[in-house]
Amino acid sequence: MADIEEAQLQKQEEEHLDVLTKSGQKTGVSKPRGHVHRDGDYHRAVHVWIFAESTQQLLLQRRALCKDSWPDLWDISSAGHISAGDSSLETARRELEEELGVTLPKDAFELIFVFLQECVINDGKYINNEYNDVYLVTTIDPIPLEAFTLQEAEVSAVKYISYGEYKLLLAKGDSEYVPYDVDGQYGQLFDIIEKRYKENTVARSLSLQKQLSRYAPISLSAELTGLTDSDKDTLAYVVKAAMVMDEIFYLQSWYSNPVLRDWLKEHAGTSELNKLKWSYYLINKSPWSCLDEDEAFLTTADSAIRLLSEENGKVNNWRGLEYRAAFPMSKPPGANFYPPDMDKMEFEIWKDSLKKDQQKEATGFFTVIKRHSESILNSHPHGNKTSATHDLYIVPYSEEYKALLTKAADLLHKAGNTTNSPSLKRLLHSKADAFLSNDYYDSDIAWMELDSKLDVTIGPYETYEDKLFGYKATFEAYIGIRDDEATAQLKLFGDNLKVQYLEHFIVNNCIYFFYLLHIVTDLRNNFLLKLLEENLPMDSAYKSKDVNAAPIRVIQLIYNAGDVKGPQTLAFNLPNDERIVNDRGTSMVMLKNVSEAKFKHILLPIAAACVAVEQQEFVDFESFFTHTICHECCHGIGPHTITLPDGQKSTVRLELKEFHSALEEAKADIVGLWALRFLISQDLLSESLLKSMYVSFLAGCFRSVRFGLEEAHGKGQALQFNWLYEKGAFILHSDNKVSVDFSKIEGAVESLSREILTIQAKGDKEAAGLLLQKYSVMTEPLKIALKTLENVQVPVDVAPTFPIANEILH
């Protein structure tokens, strides 16, 4: 016993803990464990609970008699302090292995909540102010007690007990158990288990049916008559490459996501509930609902069962340890781009220690951040902790997703070899090379210069999934057929149309619509783009002197994959790489058949339900589609590369971090509206467009806010609506419908444009956060509108199917 106490004392003397503020933030100071408890410093620890699903039991350990807190009492399955510089998840894995001899992969650990424990024991000598990350490990059956290898200095025994009985013992304060307040924060443990395993199957099915009904099923097709046989062969290879983008995106969302997907698909036919789970999962591509602020619609109890057969050597006739592949109830803000237990401070401290070129890699689009300690623990479960100064390191996409990207590259090279289009051939081969080199510059230039009947966008682009910083790009694919009619009209007007002929074209609404397209397409012309930039409502010192342009492509979408979950995009403006934006500008792709479907199934019904009756006539497809084009165009103007107050060069994306996506979407929207009004003032567009563009924008506000305030477009739209409502530009009437005050809307649009553009130009992250905090909220007018739309059952978005791609694949 003396040896155990000496070892325990030595551990306490050596172990340093990070000191936290009372709110749980790191102070940058670490102290010996004994001093932390002597002084009552706030610090971090982990609790790991092992729960047996079949018997509804929790595993408890009896704390060793030599422990300095709660000796010889029954407690959590496994627990321990997080040492200074260590991470939460790796500590949880290590403590379980050290105390109980159970080695589990990281996908067995589900972070269910964080618990603050504040207490004083041992006659005031031991002050415990501890933030505990509480993990749940769900096994199918109880682990045989003889399978555990107990750490003598920490644990004297283990036992299983039903969670209900354990809760009762804690509630009455049984002296044999470490006390926890089951009516307080720690009661969440029992509430979570209770909810998961005593659910009403009928009620849950109805809930999933209601969630699914928010998406209107549509079939997206297009004429293939203009495609040659070689084009069709190319299309088959490209669709298969796009399917690989799906595989990568599932992995980017969460590390156990592919396992969950395969499990749900395998069991979809076993019950109506499982069919609904699978159907809704396919829309969201994760267990978190895009339209419900990323709230989980599945739990780990729905997840895949995995077997660790190597454990069966410990006990005769034991098949091995079976557990549920876990995912957290709250969607990780860093997705699977960063370690799940990494916080912003850890990242920033590590990043600041790097050389400049490494900092660019760390914050770049095409890398993931990993832990040395995780790699060591995975390869050597009984090995020592890393001795590296910093635990984090950089892995390029080309290495992280090597097998999948190699497969996609092979398919794209085959596609490139079959096409007769020189520009498409260049794009496909250069993109295939980029997948393996991790250098996407040349392939993005090739994409901007694409001039082909078959239109292909494939690769890592958008950064919405990275809600921690907005740095990392997700893989996606959009495959379409160029709309020859729209393209021909645009080319005709581009070659021949002069502004003074406007009156002639107003006579024919269809022709006028394409004239609008031409005018907005001409925004990509350097002259008009510079004209807009020069007149942006912000200080001239912030305006760019070099504005570049690129063309607009109108396509009929026939397949998409990868990061296309939940609400479907109408258009996209790429690339996001500031080097290319500065050198060449951006290019835009309009998805015309998606726009038409959304207008018909969603925007018109929204207008009927929420817009004042006398203004409903102003909601038309021309205004809706034209503003969408203008939105995408306006991504290309305004601040991108900026100069900070200290003279350093940076980018808006790097400075605004997690606020960038929402603010950029709001900027493109509101500046797009400003730009249309400016074109009207310059006699480049007809005054007759004025009212329809503002009222169609109002209806569009309600459409986008329904995506949820966790989503960049929804958050940005709430900001705009609430700003315009506060300025009196939008008016809520007694019948709960909203109208536009045409006398105030112009000034309100300009003032918000100035606010956002100035924040971006200054790289003012604090101001961005405050603006979003104040206005990106669900105010009363928005609540009323959303409730109205729910009552009349207007779909929130569309769920497309792709018959052409399916026919090609089968």
Side-chain angles (χ1 to χ4, degrees):
M1 181 63 71
D3 291 340
I4 294 174
E5 290 177 345
E6 184 178 348
Q8 185 73 10
L9 183 62
Q10 185 177 3
K11 178 183 177 181
Q12 292 175 16
E13 289 175 349
E14 292 175 352
E15 187 177 26
H16 278 62
L17 308 180
D18 286 317
V19 176
L20 310 179
T21 65
K22 190 172 183 178
S23 61
Q25 303 302 309
K26 288 182 180 177
T27 62
V29 175
S30 66
K31 293 168 62 173
R33 178 182 182 275
H35 293 184
V36 165
H37 285 292
R38 178 197 67 195
D39 301 337
D41 294 312
Y42 286 84
H43 58 285
R44 293 179 70 206
V46 296
H47 288 186
V48 181
W49 285 103
I50 294 178
F51 174 73
E53 192 174 80
S54 62
T55 61
Q56 302 285 284
Q57 291 178 312
L58 290 165
L59 179 78
L60 271 63
Q61 66 160 263
R62 186 186 285 275
R63 296 170 65 83
L65 192 61
C66 60
K67 296 287 288 184
D68 56 2
S69 62
W70 316 113
D72 206 33
L73 298 188
W74 290 102
D75 198 8
I76 307 150
S77 306
S78 175
H81 290 96
I82 302 175
S83 299
D86 281 1
S87 71
S88 172
L89 179 57
E90 298 315 308
T91 299
R93 294 178 66 190
R94 189 176 291 110
E95 289 292 336
L96 195 61
E97 195 280 325
E98 289 178 353
E99 292 185 357
L100 303 184
V102 176
T103 304
L104 291 174
K106 67 180 181 180
D107 70 349
F109 295 79
E110 176 189 2
L111 180 63
I112 52 176
F113 60 92
V114 178
F115 163 63
L116 174 58
Q117 186 177 27
E118 297 174 296
C119 63
V120 181
I121 58 174
N122 298 350
D123 299 323
K125 297 177 182 177
Y126 190 97
I127 306 171
N128 195 38
N129 291 323
E130 191 169 81
Y131 279 92
N132 297 289
D133 294 343
V134 182
Y135 291 91
L136 187 66
V137 172
T138 302
T139 65
I140 304 306
D141 298 310
I143 302 170
L145 297 184
E146 58 269 35
F148 294 106
T149 302
L150 307 184
Q151 184 180 19
E152 188 179 357
E154 300 283 340
V155 185
S156 61
V158 291
K159 70 174 181 179
Y160 276 100
I161 184 173
S162 79
Y163 78 89
E165 181 183 353
Y166 178 54
K167 182 179 180 181
L168 289 173
L169 290 168
L170 292 179
K172 72 178 186 180
D174 192 296
S175 61
E176 289 194 33
Y177 295 83
V178 174
Y180 295 101
D181 182 6
V182 296
D183 294 321
Q185 293 181 59
Y186 221 83
Q188 294 176 79
L189 170 67
F190 306 99
D191 294 341
I192 288 167
I193 294 172
E194 182 88 11
K195 183 178 180 181
R196 281 185 188 178
Y197 294 98
K198 290 193 175 180
E199 67 173 357
N200 184 317
T201 301
V202 174
R204 190 172 183 200
S205 295
L206 289 172
S207 176
L208 283 169
Q209 286 172 348
K210 185 177 179 181
Q211 289 176 302
L212 277 164
S213 70
R214 295 176 295 180
Y215 290 90
I218 60 168
S219 177
L220 292 182
S221 191
E223 289 293 329
L224 300 185
T225 51
L227 293 185
T228 65
D229 289 340
S230 65
D231 287 334
K232 292 176 182 177
D233 290 338
T234 301
L235 180 58
Y237 285 123
V238 171
V239 169
K240 290 175 183 177
M243 295 175 70
V244 180
M245 301 302 101
D246 249 354
E247 295 293 320
I248 298 175
F249 177 69
Y250 278 113
L251 190 57
Q252 288 183 305
S253 296
W254 181 244
Y255 54 73
S256 62
N257 203 26
V259 175
L260 173 63
R261 176 203 58 200
D262 294 345
W263 175 267
L264 292 172
K265 181 179 181 180
E266 180 185 348
H267 291 80
T270 59
S271 71
E272 181 62 23
L273 177 58
N274 284 340
K275 180 182 178 181
L276 291 168
K277 290 177 187 176
W278 173 237
S279 297
Y280 199 52
Y281 176 87
L282 282 177
I283 287 176
N284 293 280
K285 295 192 174 181
S286 81
W288 301 287
S289 175
C290 298
L291 294 180
D292 298 293
E293 314 293 343
D294 287 332
E295 179 183 347
F297 62 92
L298 298 174
T299 73
T300 294
D302 300 309
S303 191
I305 297 174
R306 308 196 73 178
L307 172 66
L308 293 179
S309 56
E310 63 271 16
E311 295 289 333
N312 63 9
K314 293 183 177 182
V315 180
N316 290 333
N317 301 318
W318 182 39
R319 182 165 177 258
L321 194 157
E322 287 184 299
Y323 69 93
R324 293 278 186 184
F327 52 86
M329 292 186 295
S330 297
K331 185 176 182 179
N336 195 23
F337 301 119
Y338 312 91
D341 53 358
M342 185 201 79
D343 58 32
K344 289 183 180 181
M345 178 178 285
E346 181 184 7
F347 179 87
E348 295 293 353
I349 291 172
W350 166 70
K351 185 198 74 176
D352 291 344
S353 72
L354 301 174
K355 296 178 180 177
K356 288 293 183 183
D357 58 336
Q358 291 177 312
Q359 288 186 10
K360 286 185 177 180
E361 278 192 89
T363 59
F365 290 111
F366 314 125
T367 61
V368 296
I369 310 302
K370 309 196 86 167
R371 290 195 183 280
H372 290 293
S373 58
E374 181 183 339
S375 302
I376 294 169
L377 196 57
N378 287 340
S379 56
H380 304 288
H382 307 289
N384 295 323
K385 294 185 289 187
T386 176
S387 58
T389 305
H390 293 283
D391 197 19
L392 303 177
Y393 67 100
I394 303 166
V395 181
Y397 280 4
S398 55
E399 181 180 329
E400 179 71 2
Y401 312 119
K402 184 175 182 179
L404 290 169
L405 288 174
T406 300
K407 179 180 178 181
D410 180 58
L411 289 165
L412 290 187
H413 277 310
K414 289 177 179 177
N417 291 335
T418 59
T419 184
N420 292 323
S421 165
S423 65
L424 182 57
K425 184 184 292 289
R426 178 191 168 202
L427 168 64
L428 296 172
H429 285 307
S430 62
K431 189 65 71 173
D433 292 340
F435 284 164
L436 304 183
S437 69
N438 219 48
D439 184 353
Y440 287 87
Y441 190 93
D442 289 342
S443 68
D444 281 343
I445 296 294
W447 177 82
M448 294 179 69
E449 296 175 349
L450 180 64
D451 181 17
S452 166
K453 177 70 174 176
L454 182 60
D455 198 276
V456 179
T457 302
I458 188 167
Y461 285 108
E462 304 293 3
T463 61
Y464 303 128
E465 197 76 358
D466 179 5
K467 291 184 172 66
L468 200 61
F469 293 110
Y471 292 155
K472 305 305 175 184
T474 49
F475 283 83
E476 61 186 39
Y478 290 89
I479 303 168
I481 306 298
R482 187 175 59 200
D483 190 317
D484 283 329
E485 182 181 359
T487 302
Q489 291 281 5
L490 291 172
K491 187 176 189 304
L492 171 68
F493 295 134
D495 291 342
N496 303 310
L497 192 63
K498 302 298 180 184
V499 173
Q500 57 263 38
Y501 299 141
L502 176 60
E503 286 186 12
H504 171 73
F505 290 105
I506 291 178
V507 175
N508 186 315
N509 288 336
C510 179
I511 296 296
Y512 178 54
F513 168 56
F514 283 111
Y515 173 72
L516 294 179
L517 281 181
H518 163 69
I519 287 294
V520 185
T521 300
D522 254 6
L523 297 182
R524 315 307 297 163
N525 174 278
N526 277 335
F527 172 75
L528 279 179
L529 213 57
K530 287 177 180 177
L531 183 65
L532 277 180
E533 180 76 29
E534 289 168 2
N535 287 276
L536 282 174
M538 66 173 177
D539 192 295
S540 296
Y542 300 133
K543 294 176 183 177
S544 176
K545 302 297 184 290
D546 300 310
V547 180
N548 293 294
I552 294 174
R553 308 199 292 261
V554 181
I555 70 169
Q556 302 288 345
L557 183 68
I558 59 172
Y559 191 69
N560 65 14
D563 189 2
V564 291
K565 65 188 188 304
Q568 298 291 302
T569 190
L570 293 169
F572 48 87
N573 192 73
L574 297 173
N576 290 319
D577 188 334
E578 286 88 358
R579 298 175 303 167
I580 299 176
V581 173
N582 291 330
D583 293 346
R584 300 287 298 272
T586 57
S587 188
M588 189 211 316
V589 175
M590 300 292 305
L591 312 180
K592 191 157 183 276
N593 51 351
V594 179
S595 298
E596 290 167 337
K598 290 202 182 198
F599 182 79
K600 175 184 176 181
H601 293 286
I602 298 165
L603 200 71
L604 282 179
I606 285 176
C610 297
V611 174
V613 175
E614 67 274 12
Q615 292 189 353
Q616 289 177 12
E617 65 178 303
F618 296 121
V619 178
D620 56 42
F621 180 71
E622 287 83 357
S623 298
F624 171 64
F625 194 57
T626 304
H627 178 258
T628 302
I629 295 175
C630 220
H631 166 107
E632 297 300 335
C633 291
C634 287
H635 278 304
I637 62 175
H640 288 281
T641 298
I642 58 177
T643 303
L644 300 177
D646 62 4
Q648 283 193 320
K649 292 286 186 181
S650 186
T651 66
V652 177
R653 181 180 69 89
L654 286 176
E655 295 306 313
L656 299 192
K657 296 184 173 67
E658 71 271 23
F659 301 135
H660 173 257
S661 291
L663 210 64
E664 177 61 23
E665 291 304 324
K667 180 208 84 172
D669 248 355
I670 204 70
V671 175
L673 203 56
W674 169 86
L676 287 175
R677 180 65 186 92
F678 176 79
L679 292 173
I680 290 171
S681 71
Q682 300 297 303
D683 294 326
L684 293 170
L685 288 178
S686 169
E687 192 84 20
S688 64
L689 178 65
L690 198 61
K691 290 184 177 180
S692 61
M693 76 181 193
Y694 286 134
V695 181
S696 296
F697 177 82
L698 168 61
C701 285
F702 298 129
R703 183 184 71 86
S704 296
V705 167
R706 297 176 84 201
F707 298 159
L709 300 191
E710 287 299 313
E711 195 269 346
H713 298 80
K715 186 179 290 186
Q717 199 74 71
L719 159 62
Q720 295 168 81
F721 177 91
N722 290 326
W723 180 285
L724 298 178
Y725 179 73
E726 180 183 86
K727 305 300 181 187
F730 291 158
I731 302 169
L732 178 65
H733 299 283
S734 57
D735 62 356
N736 288 335
K737 295 193 175 185
V738 183
S739 66
V740 176
D741 185 331
F742 296 114
S743 68
K744 295 181 179 178
I745 185 75
E746 184 178 334
V749 167
E750 183 169 321
S751 66
L752 180 56
S753 298
R754 180 179 294 105
E755 182 78 12
I756 293 174
L757 289 166
T758 303
I759 288 172
Q760 289 185 322
K762 293 180 177 180
D764 192 339
K765 184 185 177 188
E766 182 181 1
L770 291 173
L771 185 68
L772 291 168
Q773 182 182 24
K774 180 177 179 181
Y775 290 101
S776 293
V777 294
M778 201 59 70
T779 54
E780 193 61 26
L782 290 176
K783 289 178 183 177
I784 291 171
L786 266 57
K787 185 65 176 175
T788 299
L789 295 173
E790 183 181 353
N791 289 340
V792 298
Q793 297 184 333
V794 175
V796 176
D797 209 73
V798 295
T801 54
F802 304 103
I804 291 175
N806 291 334
E807 183 180 341
I808 288 170
L809 292 173
H810 294 101

